[in-house]
Amino acid sequence: NAGVTQTPKFRILKIGQSMTLQCTQDMNHNYMYWYRQDPGMGLKLIYYSVGAGITDKGEVPNGYNVSRSTTEDFPLRLELAAPSQTSVYFCASKISSQGIGYTFGSGTRLTVV
Amino acid sequence: AQKVTQAQTEISVVEKEDVTLDCVYETRDTTYYLFWYKQPPSGELVFLIRRNSFDEQNEISGRYSWNFQKSTSSFNFTITASQVVDSAVYFCALSPIYNFNKFYFGSGTKLNVKP
């Protein structure tokens, strides 16, 4: 079982560059999420999606965009990378909105220089 | 406002010692869920347990146990007879029942278990 797959695992960007972090899940989960984890901090929600074609902002959405054209994929786009976006990014999914735990991907470590 | 506090930044123990990780939360909601996640060195977060605010029974799963006390807004996690494989960062999280899409994570406690 692949679960939640994130690519790339590591990336270094220059200030002002753009990139897309990929997230795919093969569990037919409706709900998908993007979190960022800063050093010594807990995870903060960037965006989430409750199904294909539906997305909503989380706690820290500025500087990011998302789309959800299929159930499986939930890419996160950084348009103009800034040093403040240096972080580890986690994608997660769950089958419903009920209070169950997420399935997390292994993370993408992004450094903006 | 929702907030989860894990005051212990890092804990080091010797294998076979018992260790308790503290979690204190703040919420104005009467119904909510609490979670613990483990983040091993590989980086992926692993779900450990969910507890809803209606149920204050303690739970035990092998060497793991959880103590939920609503009166003190705490949801502590104890590992009995710790092992090196328990070394990880552990996160406590809160989710209001009215909005399952919002999770509030603590800053995590790094547990080092030395042989």
Side-chain angles (χ1 to χ4, degrees), chain B residues 25-98:
Chain B
Y25 61 92
E26 296 175 28
T27 180
R28 293 180 181 175
D29 299 319
T30 56
T31 52
Y32 47 88
Y33 286 107
L34 295 165
F35 299 81
W36 275 96
Y37 283 85
K38 175 182 180 180
Q39 185 180 37
S42 59
E44 187 171 333
L45 280 85
V46 177
F47 168 73
L48 294 179
I49 189 173
R50 178 198 74 178
R51 172 67 69 201
N52 74 53
S53 54
F54 296 105
D55 183 1
E56 290 194 63
Q57 281 191 337
N58 291 334
E59 183 157 342
I60 298 175
S61 176
R63 297 184 296 107
Y64 295 171
S65 62
W66 291 269
N67 183 313
F68 174 35
Q69 292 196 345
K70 209 167 180 178
S71 61
T72 57
S73 297
S74 65
F75 186 43
N76 296 337
F77 173 31
T78 297
I79 301 175
T80 303
S82 60
Q83 300 176 0
V84 173
V85 293
D86 295 328
S87 296
V89 180
Y90 291 86
F91 290 96
C92 181
L94 167 75
S95 175
I97 284 182
Y98 65 83

Side-chain angles (χ1 to χ4, degrees), chain A residues 31 33 35 37 40-45 48 50 57-59 90 94 97-102 104-106, chain B residues 9 33 35 37 39 42-47 50 89 91 95 97 99-108:
Chain A
Y31 295 78
Y33 306 81
Y35 281 90
Q37 182 184 20
M41 305 289 286
L43 282 73
K44 293 192 175 180
L45 182 63
Y48 67 97
V50 301
K57 296 178 180 179
E59 188 180 357
F90 287 97
K94 55 182 177 176
S97 67
Q98 297 295 316
I100 61 175
Y102 295 117
F104 279 91
S106 57
Chain B
T9 304
Y33 286 107
F35 299 81
Y37 283 85
Q39 185 180 37
S42 59
E44 187 171 333
L45 280 85
V46 177
F47 168 73
R50 178 198 74 178
V89 180
F91 290 96
S95 175
I97 284 182
N99 190 345
F100 301 129
N101 294 305
K102 296 289 177 70
F103 271 55
Y104 300 89
F105 283 85
S107 55

